[in-house]
Amino acid sequence: QVQVVESGGGLVQPGGSLRLSCSASGRMFGLYHVAWYRQAPGGQRELVARITNGGRTDYDDSVRGRFTISRVDAKNTVYLQMNSLKPEDTALYSCNVRIVRGTTAEYWGQGTQVTVST
């Protein structure tokens, strides 16, 4: 069982920045694929950004150029640096860890709230 914990959310003004962290347990973090999702009130969960165990990244069009996903395997942590935040970025941000070793296992954290408002 992998434990996933997100942190770093909060209230920020439009144009501001936040850095989210996703920490996952286990001694094989370097094998994990990690993704950030978000869900706004009344909306569906959507993929924001993801990073493979090899470091390849992918972004939703709505955040490309503003958000950066990165990982530090020695710290069992993936980061989501969010710049130029907009009110429409307001959502619960959740981290998904996917492990592929013959079969696929997925784990979720509880999420961290990001609110962009004046």
Side-chain angles (χ1 to χ4, degrees), residues 7 14-15 17 30 40 43 58 69 81 83 95-96 100 113 118:
S7 62
S17 298
D58 189 26
I69 190 170
Q81 178 66 43
N83 299 326
C95 182
N96 170 270
V100 180
Q113 178 67 35
T118 56

Side-chain angles (χ1 to χ4, degrees), residues 26-91:
R27 293 181 293 177
M28 305 183 75
F29 184 85
L31 297 181
Y32 301 172
H33 303 291
V34 181
W36 282 99
Y37 286 79
R38 67 185 180 187
Q39 186 169 17
Q44 292 188 334
R45 186 166 59 193
E46 60 180 13
L47 176 66
V48 176
R50 57 189 172 188
I51 186 166
T52 69
N53 56 10
R56 189 173 71 247
T57 60
D58 189 26
Y59 299 90
D60 183 76
D61 286 344
S62 65
V63 306
R64 187 173 289 113
R66 299 188 296 123
F67 291 10
T68 303
I69 190 170
S70 60
R71 63 190 298 154
V72 180
D73 289 346
K75 295 185 177 182
N76 278 35
T77 302
V78 165
Y79 301 99
L80 184 68
Q81 178 66 43
M82 306 186 298
N83 299 326
S84 302
L85 283 162
K86 304 175 181 180
E88 51 263 44
D89 294 318
T90 295

